[in-house]
Amino acid sequence: MEPVVVLPGEGEVITDRPGRHLETLCALPGLCVTRMDYAGGEEGADLHVHRGHTDSFYVLDGTITVPLGPGGAEIVEATAGTLVSAPPNLVHGFRNDGPDTMSVINVHAPDGGFAEMLRGARDGDHGRPWDSFDAPEGGGRPVTDGIVSRPGEGELLRAGPSELRFKAQATDGDGALTLTEMTVAPGFPGPPIHTHTGFTDGFYVLEGTLELRVGERTIEAGPGTFAALPPGTPHTFANPGSEPVRAVNVMAPAGFEAYIKELWASGELPAADVAMEIASRYDITVV
């Protein structure tokens, strides 16, 4: 599989009309990411469930309304910096009940046929099968099986002036994804160029410029840039600049956070030989 790098506004456009813009940022088997910009009052998806994948919403701006659970009885008003995640068989939907435009990153892990369904609907073929079903009569899973991580919530980890806040990890939902908010301090050198074998690594830049190395390419990734690195892709990231960088890092499926927590256990980045010894026990191969 080839890596994906999408600069701001260069995603695959699915819908572009007054009040609604939807574009696909990546459509890999293990991870599908879209960006939604919906004006106030725009309807999204009615109540439904997925049987084989997790559906997540990370809010960039505005407020998204996400009904959850049997009958959509719990209404979550999710503001910027909130993650709402519905694992398989948890009833959910979404809409914009507010007056202002909402901007949301929607993550399906794994893809579940979502990208092809969107393309079909755009092109007039509404019958493409995918992993989505009407809300079950029995109500589906309890809301407590989902994730609602509001701004400032989530396990916080520090290495010097850099920070990671875990909004979702292997112990949450069904472990379909790890999602962190990264604050990468100026001068952060990043890990050596490496690959993974068991998960897709993705970055969405919120503020500042993140230096991404993807294969032989070096990308100065500004706000709104997205990159997805499927298994086997050599990559790394760094912040050689003078200002902090904020980004969302999504890894699907979850589990790699165990490596990050051990690496950052002391609150500082370890020496290179110690870091290599830790890496030898996890899904990371330096190339």
Side-chain angles (χ1 to χ4, degrees):
M1 290 179 286
E2 294 297 318
V4 175
V5 177
V6 180
L7 300 179
E10 292 186 356
E12 179 186 357
V13 176
I14 301 298
T15 304
D16 190 17
R17 62 169 176 77
R20 180 177 298 197
H21 181 86
L22 172 62
E23 62 182 49
T24 299
L25 302 180
C26 82
L28 299 170
L31 180 68
C32 177
V33 179
T34 63
R35 173 171 171 145
M36 305 186 297
D37 296 278
Y38 282 22
E42 283 286 312
E43 293 293 329
D46 294 333
L47 295 178
H48 62 284
V49 297
H50 308 297
R51 295 175 182 168
H53 78 278
T54 294
D55 190 1
S56 302
F57 306 89
Y58 181 84
V59 187
L60 301 172
D61 197 16
T63 302
I64 185 174
T65 300
V66 184
L68 290 173
E74 179 161 330
I75 304 298
V76 177
E77 299 289 349
T79 57
T82 301
L83 175 71
V84 182
S85 189
N89 298 308
L90 176 58
V91 175
H92 62 288
F94 75 89
R95 59 184 185 266
N96 184 357
D97 284 346
D100 300 321
T101 296
M102 70 174 194
S103 298
V104 176
I105 298 298
N106 184 205
V107 179
H108 290 253
D111 168 74
F114 184 59
E116 283 303 307
M117 180 279 294
L118 289 177
R119 290 167 178 154
R122 175 193 62 192
D123 299 336
D125 178 4
H126 298 275
R128 297 191 186 186
W130 77 291
D131 179 29
S132 184
F133 304 89
D134 292 338
E137 292 184 4
R141 294 172 69 163
V143 171
T144 51
D145 285 355
I147 302 167
V148 179
S149 181
R150 297 191 181 276
E153 295 182 346
E155 181 180 357
L156 182 63
L157 198 64
R158 291 188 173 95
S162 294
E163 292 184 351
L164 289 177
R165 186 178 296 277
F166 292 92
K167 307 293 281 185
Q169 48 189 309
T171 53
D172 299 318
D174 281 7
L177 76 162
T178 297
L179 190 144
T180 71
E181 295 170 333
M182 308 166 52
T183 300
V184 186
F188 183 80
I193 298 174
H194 61 277
T195 62
H196 309 294
T197 61
F199 67 93
T200 296
D201 203 357
F203 299 86
Y204 185 92
V205 181
L206 301 173
E207 297 176 8
T209 300
L210 187 68
E211 184 177 275
L212 287 170
R213 175 75 179 271
V214 180
E216 297 299 318
R217 298 176 62 189
T218 298
I219 299 136
E220 301 300 320
T225 302
F226 176 79
L229 302 318
T233 303
H235 66 282
T236 190
F237 66 93
N239 179 11
S242 60
E243 299 294 331
V245 176
R246 293 185 61 245
V248 171
N249 181 207
V250 57
M251 295 168 277
F256 193 65
E257 67 270 15
Y259 162 76
I260 300 170
K261 291 179 181 183
E262 184 170 353
L263 187 71
W264 287 24
S266 70
E268 298 290 341
L269 291 175
D273 60 337
V274 176
M276 290 295 288
E277 191 280 326
I278 294 171
S280 70
R281 291 182 271 110
Y282 292 94
D283 180 13
I284 179 170
T285 301
V286 175
V287 297

